[in-house]
Amino acid sequence: MLSEEEKTEIQKETGQYPYPSAACIDALKIVQHHRGWVSDESVKDIAQFLHMSNEDVEGVATFYSRIYRRPVGRNVILLCDGISCMIMGYESIYEHISKKLGISFGQTTADNRYTLLPISCLGDCDHTPSMMINNDHFNQLTFEKVDEILENYK
Amino acid sequence: MERPLTQHIHSESSPLNLKEYQQVGGYAGVQKALKEMTPAEITNLVKTSNLLGRGGAGFPTGVKWSLVPMDKEEPKYLVCNADEMEPGTFKDRYLLEGNPHQLIAGMIIAAYAIQAQTAYIFLRWAYKKAEAELRKAIAEAYAAGLLGKNILGTGYNLEMNVHSSAGRYICGEETALLNSLEGKRAIPRTKPPFPAISGLFGKPTVVNNVETLCWISHIVENGADWFKGLSLTETGGTKVFGISGKVKKPGLWELPLGTTIREILEVHAGGMLEGYGFRGLLPGGASTDFLIEEHLDVKMDFSTVGAVGSRMGTGTMIILDDKTCPVAFLHNVEKFFALESCGFCTPCREGLPWVVKILEAIENGNGRMEHLDILKQQTKYMGPGNTFCAHAPGAAEPLQSGLNYFHDDFVSHINNKKCPWKS
């Protein structure tokens, strides 16, 4: 079931388009914002709310990389693996985070605190390596800087 | 030297708010366009200026606008493509975060020129700071009567929305972007019909890049001749160029079109970092062909870079140094394209993962000489005319030129069964 809050927010988004299904991506993002990810049940709820078929919503949900169809940890680390970051050594930052947290790309720590995912070029190419945690941007990463940043995400 | 696009951007401080931007002359072009010019006059002016699209393809902006049918009363749309995701490209982010009002002013004029009543900014998900600055600036523009109903008392109405996306590089392809804006999977559409005839929600639509739209107000204020005079070549204007990789000062610089690659690399980026040698560069993002030492005196412009077998693309260069393995470089780039393929057409969906697998084998010392023939063959299968959109042909560009310029490195990986750059 969509919460009243989710419904209100989705309704507001539909207002900027000529028909409700155009707000499908916005709706998925709203649900994910409230629940951390998008479950099968949420896909059905959104479909019903926007007068779409479940399959259409599922097709959209699985297409976009920033819609999570599996649960993620409380904090999602998105490490840029783009070419500029590769040249400047993102791989050693990856190994550092991976070793520190005991997870590889695509995995979540046992305490559900962090999920580690790759992301393509963050447009930070003159301040590499770079990453995002949730909605926050960090660049010119060093091992020490990464350690400090991670501490701030409980 | 004039730097119209970046003169009010100071990376250390917040962007100018509406009042501050107006004090330095911002929105003067909007006043002039809406009060003194007809839509056709604006389109003609932009056509005369020969402003070429700054998203990478370099299509003439005025021509794009002139394809919109103006004789019928129907909803029309202007869309700003702010889905910057080309690896190694960071220019639109700088313009969006640094001076959102410049973009909004340009969009108001562009929308007026095609008589659109709704405009969308299709913004990359990850650009959170840009999103916050844009939303703030749009709210200011609404409050000042520069957006909404009866703009500046002229009777012209325009609603402007920010659509923050949900990832995927293919959204930057203009017809895939339109599908995404309609809430669908971002699969490119058949052309024709072109978006100018049947675009967003089936209505006439113009899609322009951020940097392109940032120019419009300046061209209206200063004229086509002024714009042409900014450049060192026959194409008008300056360009936001950038460099990333092992150089002393990676960054962005607004310079005249036609500035040589050498000047950008050696003067503005300060040359290579101590201990690193230059081997090659991708001139305009990951989907452009490699250029090498012999091309350093090439002028950065659409036609001149095209003449030596590459594309100016986004104008943000990625430098390959002598301590980075070219095979690993290409593996990274092709893996990106494989992951970001929308999966709709076969050469792209099947070809790219195959290329990645082979590059990985070569990099790991498991390559065979016949692999090079397969890679070469794939660049043809994925080339122009065989695929639905420009994604796979773009992916083929660095690969085909890389195979050519770094042939010896590929052979060395295969013969010695290991990557020479790995201990």
Side-chain angles (χ1 to χ4, degrees):
Chain A
M1 278 274 284
L2 296 174
S3 70
E4 285 310 311
E5 204 183 349
E6 285 167 328
K7 283 183 190 170
T8 313
E9 286 176 34
I10 297 171
Q11 196 67 54
K12 196 178 157 228
E13 291 298 329
T14 58
Q16 59 166 315
Y17 307 107
Y19 43 83
S21 68
C24 180
I25 296 164
D26 305 275
L28 288 162
K29 286 171 74 177
I30 287 166
V31 168
Q32 180 163 296
H33 175 75
H34 287 282
R35 300 167 193 239
W37 66 296
V38 179
S39 66
D40 290 346
E41 196 203 334
S42 294
V43 165
K44 285 180 195 156
D45 292 340
I46 290 170
Q48 202 182 12
F49 192 75
L50 296 177
H51 311 292
M52 296 170 72
S53 74
N54 296 346
E55 291 71 21
D56 278 345
V57 177
E58 173 71 356
V60 173
T62 52
F63 186 86
Y64 293 95
S65 37
R66 296 277 71 79
I67 300 297
Y68 304 133
R69 284 289 279 114
R70 279 194 278 168
V72 291
R74 290 195 298 281
N75 303 293
V76 178
I77 307 168
L78 298 163
L79 182 64
C80 178
D81 67 351
I83 183 62
S84 302
C85 281
M86 189 204 98
I87 294 169
M88 302 305 281
Y90 93 84
E91 279 155 327
S92 65
I93 300 288
Y94 167 70
E95 276 157 30
H96 178 76
I97 297 176
S98 175
K99 212 166 132 192
K100 185 181 164 83
L101 303 180
I103 49 173
S104 308
F105 274 142
Q107 294 181 332
T108 300
T109 52
D111 61 0
N112 212 34
R113 186 171 168 188
Y114 304 106
T115 295
L116 179 58
L117 295 172
I119 189 165
S120 47
C121 191
L122 284 172
D124 238 347
C125 316
D126 50 347
H127 299 102
T128 52
S130 76
M131 70 172 178
M132 286 179 81
I133 300 186
N134 307 335
N135 287 337
D136 307 324
H137 225 107
F138 303 97
N139 57 29
Q140 291 179 313
L141 299 175
T142 59
F143 294 167
E144 297 72 37
K145 202 168 164 182
V146 166
D147 291 347
E148 230 170 85
I149 294 165
L150 286 177
E151 265 317 298
N152 295 329
Y153 293 86
K154 303 295 177 191
Chain B
M1 192 175 61
E2 283 187 85
R3 296 188 296 113
L5 294 187
T6 56
Q7 60 180 332
H8 299 301
I9 299 181
H10 308 284
S11 42
E12 300 310 316
S13 55
S14 309
L16 299 183
N17 63 30
L18 178 63
K19 219 172 157 189
E20 290 163 339
Y21 189 50
Q22 282 175 322
Q23 274 163 4
V24 294
Y27 287 92
V30 175
Q31 294 271 359
K32 185 175 173 187
L34 268 59
K35 290 187 171 167
E36 298 168 24
M37 296 174 81
T38 64
E41 280 170 352
I42 298 169
T43 300
N44 281 333
L45 172 68
V46 174
K47 228 181 190 173
T48 313
S49 77
N50 193 26
L51 167 64
L52 302 185
R54 301 298 204 243
F59 190 80
T61 307
V63 174
K64 207 180 219 185
W65 295 4
S66 67
L67 300 174
V68 174
M70 298 297 287
D71 50 351
K72 200 158 79 172
E73 282 282 318
E74 60 178 331
K76 291 194 273 279
Y77 297 98
L78 173 75
V79 178
C80 170
N81 187 345
D83 194 50
E84 180 171 70
M85 209 171 151
E86 179 76 21
T89 299
F90 47 112
K91 66 176 185 76
D92 291 341
R93 180 176 169 186
Y94 183 71
L95 293 169
L96 290 162
E97 291 180 356
N99 193 354
H101 278 297
Q102 175 172 247
L103 173 66
I104 296 166
M107 285 183 71
I108 295 170
I109 301 170
Y112 173 75
I114 61 162
Q115 289 290 295
Q117 306 226 321
T118 311
Y120 293 94
I121 299 172
F122 189 100
L123 182 67
R124 183 171 179 204
W125 169 88
Y127 284 9
K128 298 293 179 193
K129 185 172 177 225
E131 182 178 350
E133 296 295 355
L134 272 172
R135 290 193 190 278
K136 203 163 81 188
I138 289 173
E140 283 181 321
Y142 267 105
L146 289 159
L147 285 172
K149 298 263 179 263
N150 193 20
I151 296 172
L152 299 172
T154 59
Y156 175 61
N157 308 323
L158 178 67
E159 299 298 325
M160 191 174 285
N161 304 298
V162 176
H163 173 95
S164 159
S165 114
R168 294 310 291 269
Y169 171 73
I170 198 68
C171 293
E173 200 280 341
E174 70 174 4
T175 60
L177 182 153
L178 296 175
N179 274 336
S180 187
L181 206 44
E182 291 182 8
K184 300 172 185 157
R185 289 166 76 94
I187 310 286
R189 297 176 180 176
T190 317
K191 289 196 259 191
F194 288 92
I197 309 295
S198 175
L200 188 63
F201 307 115
K203 300 296 178 192
T205 304
V206 162
V207 184
N208 283 141
N209 167 261
V210 172
E211 192 178 352
T212 312
L213 287 165
C214 283
W215 271 113
I216 305 302
S217 190
H218 298 289
I219 293 173
V220 166
E221 280 166 54
N222 301 302
D225 289 335
W226 166 84
F227 179 73
K228 286 181 185 167
L230 295 171
S231 154
L232 303 173
T233 62
E234 73 276 14
T235 317
T238 60
K239 174 86 191 71
V240 181
F241 292 113
I243 286 194
S244 65
K246 300 274 190 195
V247 293
K248 289 204 182 87
K249 295 180 290 180
L252 292 166
W253 311 274
E254 182 180 0
L255 299 166
L257 266 176
T259 303
T260 64
I261 297 173
R262 189 184 299 281
E263 182 185 326
I264 301 171
L265 173 61
E266 293 177 1
V267 178
H268 302 284
M272 300 298 291
L273 272 176
E274 279 320 315
Y276 291 89
F278 172 86
R279 291 213 63 199
L281 60 85
L282 302 180
S287 63
T288 56
D289 279 275
F290 271 104
L291 296 178
I292 53 170
E293 188 96 40
E294 67 184 69
H295 302 122
L296 285 182
D297 291 312
V298 168
K299 292 174 174 169
M300 281 294 272
D301 188 9
F302 295 98
S303 55
T304 39
V305 178
V308 292
S310 186
R311 289 188 304 122
M312 188 174 79
T314 62
T316 39
M317 312 175 199
I318 309 162
I319 308 292
L320 171 67
D321 60 85
D322 61 355
K323 294 204 167 51
T324 299
C325 169
V327 178
F329 183 112
L330 281 166
H331 177 240
N332 175 289
V333 166
E334 297 303 326
K335 199 170 153 191
F336 164 80
F337 287 115
L339 276 168
E340 296 298 339
S341 168
C342 82
F344 182 79
C345 72
T346 311
C348 183
R349 182 188 62 238
E350 306 299 326
L352 282 166
W354 194 7
V355 162
V356 172
K357 237 173 152 172
I358 291 175
L359 288 171
E360 196 170 314
I362 297 173
E363 176 64 4
N364 292 334
N366 302 317
R368 299 190 304 270
M369 283 308 284
E370 62 264 33
H371 279 157
L372 299 183
D373 300 325
I374 299 173
L375 288 177
K376 210 168 166 186
Q377 194 182 39
Q378 281 304 317
T379 62
K380 299 282 177 290
Y381 288 154
M382 299 192 305
N386 295 331
T387 61
F388 206 70
C389 80
H391 183 85
E397 289 181 28
L399 182 60
Q400 67 196 9
S401 47
L403 284 167
N404 179 22
Y405 294 133
F406 309 116
H407 179 79
D408 293 350
D409 298 292
F410 277 92
V411 172
S412 145
H413 277 76
I414 293 167
N415 287 345
N416 301 322
K417 298 197 184 308
K418 69 179 190 111
C419 171
W421 281 268
K422 278 188 193 145
S423 46

Coordinates of all heavy atoms in Angstrom, one line a residue, chain A residues 12-69:
Chain A
K12 N 1.4 15.2 -7.0 CA 1.9 16.5 -7.3 C 2.8 16.4 -8.6 O 2.7 17.3 -9.4 CB 2.8 16.9 -6.1 CG 3.1 18.4 -6.2 CD 3.9 18.9 -5.0 CE 4.7 20.1 -5.3 NZ 6.1 20.1 -5.0
E13 N 3.5 15.3 -8.7 CA 4.4 15.1 -9.9 C 3.6 15.0 -11.2 O 4.0 15.4 -12.2 CB 5.4 13.9 -9.7 CG 6.4 14.1 -8.6 CD 7.4 15.3 -9.0 OE1 7.6 15.5 -10.2 OE2 7.9 15.9 -8.0
T14 N 2.5 14.3 -11.1 CA 1.7 14.0 -12.3 C 1.2 15.4 -12.8 O 0.9 15.5 -14.0 CB 0.4 13.1 -12.0 OG1 -0.4 13.8 -11.0 CG2 0.8 11.7 -11.5
G15 N 1.1 16.4 -12.0 CA 0.6 17.7 -12.4 C 1.5 18.3 -13.5 O 1.0 19.2 -14.3
Q16 N 2.8 18.0 -13.6 CA 3.6 18.6 -14.6 C 3.6 17.9 -16.0 O 4.3 18.3 -16.9 CB 5.1 18.8 -14.1 CG 5.8 17.5 -13.7 CD 7.3 17.7 -13.5 OE1 7.9 18.4 -14.3 NE2 7.8 17.2 -12.5
Y17 N 2.8 16.8 -16.1 CA 2.7 16.1 -17.3 C 1.3 16.0 -17.8 O 0.4 16.1 -17.0 CB 3.3 14.7 -17.2 CG 4.7 14.6 -16.6 CD1 4.8 14.1 -15.2 CD2 5.8 14.9 -17.3 CE1 6.1 14.0 -14.7 CE2 7.1 14.8 -16.7 CZ 7.2 14.4 -15.4 OH 8.4 14.3 -14.8
P18 N 1.1 15.8 -19.1 CA -0.3 15.7 -19.7 C -1.0 14.4 -19.2 O -2.2 14.4 -19.3 CB -0.1 15.7 -21.2 CG 1.3 15.8 -21.5 CD 2.1 15.7 -20.2
Y19 N -0.3 13.4 -18.9 CA -1.0 12.2 -18.4 C -0.3 11.5 -17.2 O 1.0 11.6 -17.2 CB -1.4 11.2 -19.5 CG -0.3 10.9 -20.5 CD1 0.7 10.0 -20.3 CD2 -0.3 11.6 -21.7 CE1 1.6 9.7 -21.2 CE2 0.6 11.3 -22.7 CZ 1.6 10.4 -22.4 OH 2.6 10.2 -23.3
P20 N -1.0 10.8 -16.4 CA -0.4 10.3 -15.1 C 0.8 9.3 -15.3 O 1.8 9.5 -14.6 CB -1.5 9.5 -14.4 CG -2.7 9.9 -15.1 CD -2.4 10.4 -16.4
S21 N 0.8 8.5 -16.3 CA 1.9 7.5 -16.4 C 3.3 8.1 -16.7 O 4.3 7.5 -16.5 CB 1.6 6.4 -17.5 OG 1.6 7.0 -18.8
A22 N 3.2 9.4 -17.2 CA 4.5 10.1 -17.4 C 5.3 10.3 -16.1 O 6.5 10.5 -16.1 CB 4.3 11.4 -18.1
A23 N 4.6 10.2 -15.0 CA 5.2 10.4 -13.7 C 5.7 9.1 -13.1 O 6.1 9.1 -11.9 CB 4.2 11.1 -12.7
C24 N 5.8 8.1 -13.9 CA 6.2 6.7 -13.4 C 7.6 6.7 -12.8 O 7.7 6.2 -11.7 CB 6.2 5.7 -14.6 SG 6.7 4.1 -14.2
I25 N 8.5 7.4 -13.4 CA 9.9 7.4 -12.9 C 9.9 8.2 -11.6 O 10.5 7.8 -10.6 CB 10.9 8.0 -13.9 CG1 11.0 7.0 -15.1 CG2 12.3 8.1 -13.3 CD1 11.6 7.6 -16.3
D26 N 9.2 9.3 -11.6 CA 9.1 10.2 -10.4 C 8.5 9.3 -9.2 O 8.9 9.4 -8.1 CB 8.2 11.4 -10.6 CG 8.7 12.2 -11.8 OD1 9.6 13.0 -11.6 OD2 8.2 12.0 -12.9
A27 N 7.4 8.6 -9.6 CA 6.7 7.8 -8.6 C 7.7 6.7 -8.0 O 7.8 6.5 -6.7 CB 5.5 7.1 -9.2
L28 N 8.5 6.1 -8.8 CA 9.4 5.1 -8.3 C 10.5 5.7 -7.4 O 10.8 5.2 -6.4 CB 10.1 4.4 -9.5 CG 9.3 3.4 -10.4 CD1 9.9 3.2 -11.7 CD2 9.1 2.1 -9.6
K29 N 10.9 6.9 -7.8 CA 11.9 7.6 -7.0 C 11.3 8.0 -5.6 O 12.0 8.0 -4.6 CB 12.4 8.8 -7.7 CG 13.4 8.4 -8.8 CD 13.8 9.6 -9.7 CE 14.7 10.5 -9.0 NZ 15.1 11.6 -9.9
I30 N 10.0 8.4 -5.6 CA 9.3 8.8 -4.4 C 9.2 7.6 -3.4 O 9.6 7.7 -2.2 CB 8.0 9.4 -4.7 CG1 8.2 10.8 -5.3 CG2 7.1 9.5 -3.4 CD1 6.9 11.4 -6.0
V31 N 8.8 6.5 -4.0 CA 8.7 5.3 -3.1 C 10.0 4.9 -2.6 O 10.2 4.6 -1.4 CB 8.0 4.1 -3.9 CG1 8.1 2.8 -3.2 CG2 6.5 4.5 -4.2
Q32 N 11.0 4.9 -3.5 CA 12.4 4.6 -3.0 C 12.9 5.5 -2.0 O 13.6 5.1 -1.0 CB 13.3 4.5 -4.2 CG 14.7 4.1 -3.9 CD 15.5 3.7 -5.1 OE1 15.2 2.7 -5.7 NE2 16.5 4.5 -5.4
H33 N 12.6 6.8 -2.1 CA 13.0 7.8 -1.1 C 12.4 7.4 0.3 O 13.1 7.5 1.3 CB 12.5 9.1 -1.5 CG 12.8 10.2 -0.5 ND1 14.0 10.7 -0.4 CD2 12.0 10.9 0.3 CE1 14.0 11.7 0.6 NE2 12.7 11.8 1.0
H34 N 11.2 6.9 0.3 CA 10.5 6.6 1.6 C 10.9 5.2 2.1 O 11.0 5.0 3.3 CB 9.0 6.7 1.5 CG 8.5 8.1 1.4 ND1 8.4 8.9 2.5 CD2 8.1 8.8 0.3 CE1 8.0 10.1 2.1 NE2 7.8 10.1 0.8
R35 N 11.2 4.3 1.2 CA 11.4 2.9 1.7 C 12.8 2.3 1.4 O 13.1 1.2 1.8 CB 10.4 2.0 0.9 CG 8.9 2.4 1.2 CD 8.0 1.7 0.3 NE 6.7 2.4 0.5 CZ 5.6 1.7 0.8 NH1 5.5 0.5 1.1 NH2 4.4 2.4 0.9
G36 N 13.6 3.1 0.7 CA 15.0 2.7 0.5 C 15.1 1.9 -0.8 O 16.2 1.8 -1.4
W37 N 14.1 1.2 -1.2 CA 14.1 0.4 -2.5 C 12.7 0.2 -2.9 O 11.7 0.7 -2.3 CB 14.8 -0.9 -2.2 CG 14.1 -1.9 -1.3 CD1 13.8 -1.7 0.0 CD2 13.5 -3.1 -1.6 NE1 13.2 -2.7 0.5 CE2 12.9 -3.7 -0.5 CE3 13.4 -3.9 -2.8 CZ2 12.3 -4.9 -0.4 CZ3 12.8 -5.1 -2.8 CH2 12.2 -5.6 -1.6
V38 N 12.5 -0.5 -4.1 CA 11.2 -0.7 -4.7 C 10.8 -2.2 -4.7 O 11.5 -2.9 -5.5 CB 11.1 -0.1 -6.1 CG1 9.7 -0.3 -6.7 CG2 11.4 1.4 -6.1
S39 N 9.9 -2.6 -3.9 CA 9.5 -4.0 -3.8 C 8.5 -4.3 -4.9 O 7.9 -3.5 -5.6 CB 8.9 -4.3 -2.5 OG 7.7 -3.6 -2.4
D40 N 8.3 -5.6 -5.1 CA 7.3 -6.1 -6.1 C 5.9 -5.5 -5.7 O 5.2 -5.0 -6.6 CB 7.1 -7.6 -6.0 CG 8.3 -8.3 -6.6 OD1 9.1 -7.6 -7.3 OD2 8.5 -9.5 -6.4
E41 N 5.6 -5.4 -4.4 CA 4.4 -4.9 -4.0 C 4.2 -3.4 -4.4 O 3.2 -2.9 -4.9 CB 4.2 -5.0 -2.5 CG 2.8 -4.9 -2.0 CD 2.8 -4.5 -0.5 OE1 3.7 -4.8 0.2 OE2 1.8 -3.8 -0.1
S42 N 5.3 -2.7 -4.2 CA 5.3 -1.2 -4.6 C 5.1 -1.0 -6.1 O 4.4 -0.1 -6.5 CB 6.6 -0.6 -4.2 OG 6.7 -0.6 -2.8
V43 N 5.7 -1.9 -6.9 CA 5.6 -1.8 -8.3 C 4.1 -1.9 -8.7 O 3.5 -1.1 -9.4 CB 6.4 -3.0 -9.1 CG1 5.9 -3.1 -10.5 CG2 7.8 -2.7 -9.0
K44 N 3.4 -2.9 -8.0 CA 1.9 -3.1 -8.3 C 1.2 -1.9 -7.8 O 0.2 -1.4 -8.5 CB 1.4 -4.3 -7.5 CG 1.8 -5.6 -8.3 CD 1.3 -6.8 -7.5 CE 2.0 -8.1 -8.0 NZ 2.0 -9.1 -7.0
D45 N 1.5 -1.3 -6.6 CA 0.8 -0.2 -6.1 C 0.9 1.0 -7.0 O 0.0 1.8 -7.3 CB 1.3 0.2 -4.7 CG 1.0 -0.9 -3.7 OD1 0.1 -1.7 -3.9 OD2 1.7 -0.9 -2.6
I46 N 2.2 1.2 -7.5 CA 2.4 2.4 -8.4 C 1.6 2.2 -9.7 O 1.0 3.1 -10.2 CB 3.9 2.6 -8.7 CG1 4.6 3.0 -7.5 CG2 4.1 3.5 -9.9 CD1 6.2 3.0 -7.6
A47 N 1.6 1.0 -10.2 CA 0.9 0.7 -11.5 C -0.6 1.0 -11.3 O -1.2 1.7 -12.1 CB 1.0 -0.8 -11.8
Q48 N -1.2 0.6 -10.2 CA -2.6 0.9 -9.9 C -2.8 2.4 -9.8 O -3.8 2.9 -10.4 CB -3.0 0.2 -8.6 CG -4.5 -0.1 -8.6 CD -4.9 -0.7 -7.2 OE1 -4.1 -0.8 -6.3 NE2 -6.1 -1.2 -7.2
F49 N -1.9 3.0 -9.1 CA -2.1 4.5 -8.9 C -2.0 5.3 -10.2 O -2.8 6.3 -10.3 CB -1.1 5.0 -7.8 CG -1.4 6.3 -7.3 CD1 -2.4 6.5 -6.4 CD2 -0.6 7.4 -7.7 CE1 -2.6 7.8 -5.9 CE2 -0.9 8.7 -7.2 CZ -1.9 8.9 -6.3
L50 N -1.1 4.9 -11.1 CA -0.9 5.6 -12.3 C -1.7 5.0 -13.5 O -1.5 5.4 -14.6 CB 0.6 5.7 -12.6 CG 1.4 6.5 -11.6 CD1 2.9 6.4 -12.0 CD2 1.0 7.9 -11.5
H51 N -2.6 4.1 -13.2 CA -3.3 3.4 -14.3 C -2.4 2.8 -15.3 O -2.6 2.9 -16.5 CB -4.3 4.4 -15.0 CG -5.1 5.2 -14.0 ND1 -6.1 4.6 -13.1 CD2 -5.1 6.5 -13.6 CE1 -6.6 5.5 -12.3 NE2 -6.0 6.7 -12.6
M52 N -1.4 2.1 -14.9 CA -0.5 1.4 -15.8 C -0.6 -0.1 -15.5 O -1.1 -0.5 -14.4 CB 0.9 1.8 -15.6 CG 1.1 3.3 -15.9 SD 2.8 3.9 -15.4 CE 3.8 3.0 -16.6
S53 N 0.0 -1.0 -16.4 CA 0.0 -2.4 -16.1 C 1.3 -2.6 -15.2 O 2.2 -1.8 -15.3 CB 0.2 -3.2 -17.4 OG 1.4 -3.1 -17.9
N54 N 1.2 -3.7 -14.4 CA 2.4 -4.0 -13.5 C 3.6 -4.1 -14.4 O 4.7 -3.7 -14.0 CB 2.1 -5.3 -12.8 CG 0.9 -5.2 -11.8 OD1 0.5 -4.1 -11.5 ND2 0.5 -6.3 -11.4
E55 N 3.5 -4.8 -15.5 CA 4.6 -5.1 -16.4 C 5.3 -3.8 -16.9 O 6.5 -3.7 -17.0 CB 4.2 -6.0 -17.6 CG 3.8 -7.4 -17.2 CD 2.5 -7.5 -16.5 OE1 1.6 -6.5 -16.6 OE2 2.2 -8.5 -15.8
D56 N 4.4 -2.8 -17.2 CA 5.0 -1.6 -17.7 C 5.8 -0.9 -16.6 O 7.0 -0.4 -16.9 CB 3.9 -0.6 -18.2 CG 3.4 -0.9 -19.6 OD1 4.2 -1.7 -20.3 OD2 2.4 -0.4 -20.0
V57 N 5.3 -0.9 -15.4 CA 6.1 -0.3 -14.3 C 7.3 -1.1 -14.0 O 8.4 -0.5 -13.8 CB 5.2 -0.1 -13.0 CG1 6.0 0.4 -11.9 CG2 4.0 0.7 -13.3
E58 N 7.2 -2.4 -14.1 CA 8.4 -3.2 -13.8 C 9.5 -3.0 -14.9 O 10.6 -2.9 -14.6 CB 7.9 -4.7 -13.9 CG 9.1 -5.7 -13.8 CD 9.7 -5.8 -12.4 OE1 9.4 -5.1 -11.5 OE2 10.6 -6.7 -12.3
G59 N 9.0 -2.8 -16.1 CA 9.9 -2.5 -17.2 C 10.7 -1.3 -17.0 O 11.9 -1.2 -17.3
V60 N 10.0 -0.3 -16.5 CA 10.7 1.0 -16.2 C 11.6 0.9 -15.0 O 12.7 1.3 -15.0 CB 9.6 2.1 -16.0 CG1 10.3 3.4 -15.5 CG2 8.8 2.4 -17.3
A61 N 11.1 0.2 -14.0 CA 11.8 0.1 -12.7 C 13.2 -0.6 -13.0 O 14.2 -0.3 -12.4 CB 11.0 -0.6 -11.7
T62 N 13.2 -1.6 -13.8 CA 14.4 -2.4 -14.0 C 15.3 -1.8 -15.0 O 16.5 -2.2 -15.1 CB 14.1 -3.9 -14.5 OG1 13.2 -3.8 -15.6 CG2 13.4 -4.7 -13.4
F63 N 14.8 -0.8 -15.8 CA 15.7 -0.2 -16.8 C 16.7 0.8 -16.2 O 17.8 0.9 -16.6 CB 14.8 0.6 -17.8 CG 15.6 1.2 -19.0 CD1 15.8 0.4 -20.1 CD2 16.0 2.5 -18.9 CE1 16.5 0.9 -21.2 CE2 16.8 3.0 -20.0 CZ 17.0 2.2 -21.1
Y64 N 16.2 1.5 -15.2 CA 17.0 2.7 -14.6 C 17.9 2.2 -13.5 O 17.4 1.6 -12.5 CB 16.1 3.8 -14.2 CG 15.4 4.4 -15.4 CD1 14.1 4.0 -15.8 CD2 16.1 5.4 -16.2 CE1 13.5 4.6 -16.9 CE2 15.5 5.9 -17.3 CZ 14.2 5.5 -17.7 OH 13.6 6.1 -18.8
S65 N 19.2 2.6 -13.6 CA 20.1 2.0 -12.6 C 20.0 2.6 -11.2 O 20.4 2.0 -10.3 CB 21.6 2.2 -13.1 OG 21.7 3.4 -13.8
R66 N 19.4 3.8 -11.1 CA 19.2 4.4 -9.8 C 17.9 4.0 -9.1 O 17.5 4.6 -8.1 CB 19.4 5.9 -9.8 CG 20.8 6.3 -10.3 CD 21.8 6.3 -9.1 NE 22.3 5.0 -8.7 CZ 23.1 4.2 -9.3 NH1 23.7 4.6 -10.4 NH2 23.4 3.0 -8.8
I67 N 17.2 3.1 -9.7 CA 16.0 2.5 -9.0 C 16.4 1.1 -8.5 O 16.9 0.3 -9.3 CB 14.8 2.3 -10.0 CG1 14.4 3.7 -10.6 CG2 13.6 1.7 -9.3 CD1 13.9 4.7 -9.5
Y68 N 16.4 0.9 -7.2 CA 16.8 -0.3 -6.6 C 15.7 -1.3 -6.5 O 14.7 -1.0 -5.8 CB 17.5 -0.1 -5.3 CG 18.6 0.9 -5.4 CD1 18.8 2.0 -4.5 CD2 19.6 0.8 -6.4 CE1 19.8 2.9 -4.6 CE2 20.6 1.7 -6.5 CZ 20.7 2.8 -5.6 OH 21.8 3.7 -5.7
R69 N 15.8 -2.5 -7.1 CA 14.7 -3.5 -7.0 C 15.1 -4.5 -5.9 O 14.4 -5.5 -5.8 CB 14.5 -4.1 -8.4 CG 13.7 -3.3 -9.3 CD 12.2 -3.1 -8.9 NE 11.4 -4.3 -9.4 CZ 10.9 -5.1 -8.6 NH1 11.0 -5.0 -7.2 NH2 10.2 -6.1 -9.0

